[in-house]
Amino acid sequence: MITGWRRSAGLAFLLILGIGGTMIAQTSASTSASSSFGSDSPARVSVGGFAFESGATLAVEIARDGDSRCLPDPVFVERWVLLGANERRVSESPAEPQAAIADWIGIVPLRSESQPLPPGHYALVLTTSVGEFRAEFEIADSPAFARFGRFSVEASVCGLSLRLYRLLTDEDHGAQIALRQGDLLMVALPGNITTGYEWTNTLSYEYAVLREIAEREYRPDPVAPGIVGSGGTFLFRYRAIAPDEQAFRFVYQRPWESVQPAQIVEFTVRVH
């Protein structure tokens, strides 16, 4: 089952791009990225080097980091496909209705019929209104993460860049997860900002293992955006910058009240 937010909310999926008849590539350790886009052909983009634990859930967004006037606006997500060994389709879904990338975060559970996908090589392929984007990744046990090396691949075209995160929610309370240096983490917690309650991370470190890369964001639910009293999702984004372990403690409370939080979510991240 795939769900998501679009700013209003989401849908599931993946990747980043190329343009102008050129080829863009960077590599680091086991990572790679390439992209191409001809004047009379659709974009075809490929990014590799990701690694995730079995049973993990991914979040994906395409962010506008600069001038993207060389692409039509808006760019829409049309369909995603998750591929396994020998390009076998593991799951797929159309994006209905089509989602503009500016309003979209994809949610991709690495599971099939509630069972974790086995270790191996996988690819997530996204069809958009400007072409096809592909992210290749490994599913592995966390002790094997060291052999993949540091993850630092980046790819950006026309001001658009792909971000692929390990996703944690309130259902991951008490979890211990593994990341590599350079990996991204997104924490998504349901709440209702109209009640005065908000989620905050109460633990801070002078030398943090994971660094926050964006301000906290709140996205209303897609069912009834703009309606007073409707709920939404608080989003926190981090990048793993050093090998070590870091604990997180998120609390849901009204900042002006000196009472026990309505909810607490705690987990630990080990960066390899």
Side-chain angles (χ1 to χ4, degrees), residues 7 13-17 47 50 52 58-66 104-108 124 126 135 151 153-156 159-167 182-186 213-215 217 219 237-239:
R7 184 174 307 245
F13 193 67
L14 98 86
L15 212 17
I16 178 140
L17 3 167
V47 175
F50 303 98
F52 299 99
L58 312 184
V60 186
E61 63 182 354
I62 298 177
R64 291 186 180 271
D65 297 327
W104 167 86
I105 292 178
I107 312 302
V108 185
L124 194 58
L126 174 67
F151 177 73
V153 65
E154 299 286 349
S156 179
L160 298 179
S161 62
L162 168 73
R163 296 176 183 172
L164 186 57
Y165 303 80
R166 172 68 190 270
L167 178 67
D183 283 346
L184 299 178
L185 172 70
M186 178 181 289
I213 59 174
E215 294 184 357
E217 180 183 357
R219 293 196 179 191
R237 297 170 175 86
Y238 301 88
R239 182 185 296 276

Side-chain angles (χ1 to χ4, degrees), residues 197 252-262:
Y197 281 88
Y252 187 56
Q253 62 185 168
R254 293 187 176 104
W256 63 86
E257 292 183 342
S258 298
V259 297
Q260 287 294 319

Side-chain angles (χ1 to χ4, degrees), residues 169-177 248 264-268:
T169 71
D170 55 330
E171 296 181 357
D172 295 297
H173 176 66
Q176 294 184 338
I177 72 164
F248 288 80
I264 297 174
V265 173
E266 297 176 311
F267 56 85
T268 303

